[in-house]
Amino acid sequence: MNEPHVLKNSVDRSAFYKELDALNLAPLWEVLKGLVPADPRPTAAPYAWQWTTVRPQLLAAGGSISAEEAERRVLVLENPKLRGKSQITDTLYAGLQLILPGEVAPAHRHTQSALRFVLEGSGGYTAVAGERTTMHRGDLILTPFWTWHDHGHDGTGPVIWMDCLDVPLVGFLKTGFREEHAEAAQGTSRPEGYSQAMYGSGLLPVGQSFGSLTSPVFNYPYSRTREALHRLARTKEIDPHLGICLRYVNPANGDWVMPTLGPIMRLLPKGFSTSMYRSTDSAVFVLVEGEATIEVEGATPVKLKENDVFAMPGWCAYRLHASTGECVFFSFSDRPVHEKLGLFREERR
Ligand code: GTQ
């Protein structure tokens, strides 16, 4: 039999650690519990941005730089615990973009996927991969990764939307590529409404096969979303943790609309409070209609009004409350990635 092992110097390891350090080596046992934590520890904090505070600053940006010069005239929503990183949560980017009448935000494409959720105005449009779509408040517009997109405005008054991108994730993977289009506004090859009619009407063209990663529909109009939610509010059993909660879908395969970003719309009836809930994905909420309260466990409840934005880090327990009338929340998160990697977990209390 072998002799049992005896430690030579277990008291003062510092000289040994210095030797390791000079060789670009590090002892795992000093960091193991942080590397492989018992549960997720987001750096981001829960945080609310009020529309009435942010909107005037965005309009001020409109007076100080053109959309052409800025390329994208956006105020980035920076999580207070992640300042300088252009992150609203540990994994998500969000910003508020302004476009004014007659302006064009020039065409480009990048490997980051983007969603736009329209907050104000009419007459704004986005052109995506050769088709233009007009923006109305509450519409969800997709610009799938590596598709040409430019934004413009043929109407009157400011048009404002929230940009939702997977910038931190693509940055982490070091897979960012971008290109500028030769023209500021890309040409269109299909009439407005083409994709909606072809793919977004409960019908699909016979004999056409689809790539599985992104939805062939790129505008999900609020008029339809709202109609669905309100109809269900009259008949559907309400999930105690989620309310009446629907995800936007790729009609070709039933999956999320994009590989990295999962948008959701939900309605809470008047006075309804959800039970405490948490999930691994981090999310950004926008209150679309009504007045609401978000209560994150251990924190003072925050009141939200229309167009207020709330950053919800992953694995934070929270409840939503429809304070006065019924309320509608848009949210997006990185849940599709968690699901694809087998990492998604939720806890319903
Ligand atoms: O509209 O293409 O907020 O590329 C950040 C990066 C918007 C856009 C952002 C972008 C865009």
Side-chain angles (χ1 to χ4, degrees):
M1 243 183 54
N2 290 336
E3 289 297 307
H5 173 67
V6 179
L7 290 178
K8 291 198 184 87
N9 176 11
S10 64
V11 183
D12 181 15
R13 297 185 174 125
S14 61
F16 175 47
Y17 287 3
K18 268 198 195 122
E19 218 174 294
L20 292 176
D21 187 59
L23 298 169
N24 296 306
L25 295 167
L28 171 65
W29 55 91
E30 293 291 337
V31 294
L32 179 61
K33 291 211 163 59
L35 280 186
V36 187
D39 49 21
R41 306 277 161 83
T43 304
Y47 190 76
W49 287 264
Q50 287 178 331
W51 176 243
T52 52
T53 308
V54 177
R55 186 179 181 276
Q57 302 298 343
L58 197 51
L59 295 179
S64 103
I65 190 164
S66 70
E68 283 83 352
E69 192 192 344
E71 187 161 341
R72 297 293 184 264
R73 191 203 284 117
V74 174
L75 294 184
V76 178
L77 300 166
E78 287 204 330
N79 193 283
K81 290 281 170 62
L82 294 164
R83 294 306 313 275
K85 293 178 187 292
S86 304
Q87 289 178 214
I88 188 163
T89 68
D90 289 87
T91 56
L92 302 172
Y93 164 98
L96 299 185
Q97 182 160 175
L98 167 71
I99 194 151
L100 293 166
E103 289 190 318
V104 172
H108 69 193
R109 63 178 177 177
H110 38 70
T111 49
Q112 291 83 0
S113 299
L115 305 169
R116 332 245 165 231
F117 186 71
V118 183
L119 299 175
E120 176 181 326
S122 56
Y125 66 84
T126 289
V128 184
E131 187 179 331
R132 200 188 254 209
T133 191
T134 303
M135 300 171 144
H136 306 277
R137 182 166 188 269
D139 288 0
L140 176 75
I141 292 164
L142 314 183
T143 55
F145 61 88
W146 210 239
T147 52
W148 294 112
H149 54 282
D150 49 276
H151 316 297
H153 189 353
D154 290 336
T156 54
V159 167
I160 299 174
W161 63 84
M162 181 169 73
D163 288 318
C164 317
L165 284 87
D166 56 5
V167 165
L169 183 67
V170 172
F172 180 72
L173 297 172
K174 297 279 180 275
T175 49
F177 293 90
R178 64 173 278 137
E179 280 180 5
E180 320 296 329
H181 200 279
E183 312 288 334
Q186 66 180 297
T188 52
S189 54
R190 293 182 300 281
E192 176 151 4
Y194 179 91
S195 299
Q196 183 69 252
M198 187 71 103
Y199 311 111
S201 306
L203 301 159
L204 290 174
V206 174
Q208 184 177 337
S209 57
F210 295 87
S212 62
L213 288 177
T214 59
S215 171
V217 177
F218 65 95
N219 188 347
Y220 292 74
Y222 188 50
S223 53
R224 287 196 189 182
T225 312
R226 190 174 193 283
E227 160 77 11
L229 287 173
H230 282 84
R231 209 166 265 277
L232 293 171
R234 280 181 252 134
T235 53
K236 191 185 176 298
E237 230 175 83
I238 301 174
D239 184 311
H241 293 87
L242 304 176
I244 294 164
C245 189
L246 301 174
R247 67 184 171 86
Y248 291 85
V249 68
N250 176 345
N253 63 8
D255 204 344
W256 296 95
V257 294
M258 286 185 159
T260 50
L261 301 173
I264 278 178
M265 197 71 108
R266 86 182 76 199
L267 183 149
L268 303 183
K270 180 179 177 179
F272 191 83
S273 272
T274 59
S275 302
M276 273 285 171
Y277 173 86
R278 63 177 172 174
S279 53
T280 48
D281 54 327
S282 67
V284 177
F285 288 79
V286 176
L287 187 64
V288 186
E289 289 188 36
E291 289 185 323
T293 307
I294 294 193
E295 181 191 342
V296 173
E297 191 178 27
T300 318
V302 176
K303 285 191 174 143
L304 297 182
K305 292 198 152 72
E306 280 185 12
N307 282 1
D308 288 353
V309 179
F310 194 88
M312 186 70 76
W315 213 234
C316 263
Y318 65 91
R319 72 165 92 241
L320 306 174
H321 174 63
S323 329
T324 48
E326 84 194 344
C327 73
V328 177
F329 272 106
F330 169 79
S331 62
F332 77 99
S333 87
D334 54 341
R335 179 167 170 165
V337 180
H338 293 225
E339 290 183 354
K340 294 281 180 330
L341 300 182
L343 296 170
F344 181 74
R345 283 201 201 189
E346 61 181 357
E347 183 184 270
R348 291 165 183 253
R349 298 196 191 149

